[in-house]
Amino acid sequence: MSPLRRRRAVSLHSFWCYYCYRNCTQINDMSTLSWSTRIKGFIICFALGILLSILGSVALFLHRGIVVFAVFYTLGNIISMASTCFLMGPFKQIKKMFAETRLIATIIVLVMMVLTFIAAIVWKKAGLTLIFIIIQSLAMTWYSLSYIPYARDAVKKTMSAILEV
């Protein structure tokens, strides 16, 4: 790499580091909510997420189709997942989501959410949408269990005991 090219790369990297730091600081300063406001925000978002998931299920039983169910269920999961941003802040939440212990579960959940939308809205494939919803649910459960100490180990031991019998 030529010296000129190296200087440009370093200055571009410095620019992006400064830009990201400055914007993150501004967002962090804007998000200084009181603890009671954070709890209220969490409860409202979490309840809204559950409500959307339930409405999606009701739409499925009222013969509204898998598309409405998939959209409502996935939006419910997104809002429920985002509700924890109120408790720990968006940056800490993202950092925890992509921590080594939950990286695979996080990626699977996010990919399945996108694939659920694509299968339901673009491809209009009910069977594929249902498969993606099931995988999304399992991945979301595994992701959620990662926040409870030793919960994953307990599930692994339980499943191995069940499968051995």
Side-chain angles (χ1 to χ4, degrees):
M1 182 182 275
S2 70
L4 179 61
R5 191 173 232 181
R6 188 175 298 140
R7 267 186 281 156
R8 282 185 185 162
V10 169
S11 64
L12 183 62
H13 175 68
S14 299
F15 167 76
W16 280 112
C17 286
Y18 171 74
Y19 179 78
C20 291
Y21 173 76
R22 188 185 68 180
N23 286 332
C24 290
T25 304
Q26 288 174 351
I27 292 170
N28 198 25
D29 289 343
M30 292 184 322
S31 66
T32 52
L33 302 173
S34 70
W35 183 247
S36 64
T37 305
R38 287 175 184 252
I39 295 292
K40 289 173 190 170
F42 167 75
I43 291 170
I44 290 169
C45 278
F46 193 74
L48 181 63
I50 291 172
L51 178 67
L52 285 174
S53 296
I54 291 171
L55 287 175
S57 299
V58 169
L60 183 64
F61 290 114
L62 295 176
H63 304 291
R64 295 289 181 198
I66 194 85
V67 174
V68 175
F69 169 69
V71 169
F72 274 73
Y73 180 79
T74 303
L75 284 176
N77 276 346
I78 291 170
I79 292 172
S80 294
M81 207 176 206
S83 68
T84 56
C85 289
F86 281 100
L87 297 178
M88 62 182 87
F91 297 113
K92 192 172 183 183
Q93 170 67 20
I94 290 171
K95 186 177 177 182
K96 283 189 173 212
M97 282 175 65
F98 291 98
E100 186 179 338
T101 56
R102 35 187 96 79
L103 179 64
I104 294 171
T106 300
I107 290 171
I108 292 172
V109 168
L110 296 176
V111 167
M112 287 303 122
M113 286 178 177
V114 170
L115 288 176
T116 301
F117 279 131
I118 292 171
I121 297 169
V122 178
W123 298 333
K124 296 184 184 348
K125 301 283 186 184
L128 196 58
T129 303
L130 191 58
I131 290 169
F132 290 149
I133 288 171
I134 291 169
I135 296 170
Q136 177 184 338
S137 299
L138 293 171
M140 188 70 166
T141 301
W142 194 251
Y143 167 82
S144 299
L145 287 174
S146 71
Y147 284 96
I148 303 169
Y150 305 108
R152 284 182 171 181
D153 293 333
V155 170
K156 285 179 189 176
K157 286 179 183 176
T158 303
M159 292 306 293
S160 66
I162 290 171
L163 295 176
E164 285 180 9
V165 174

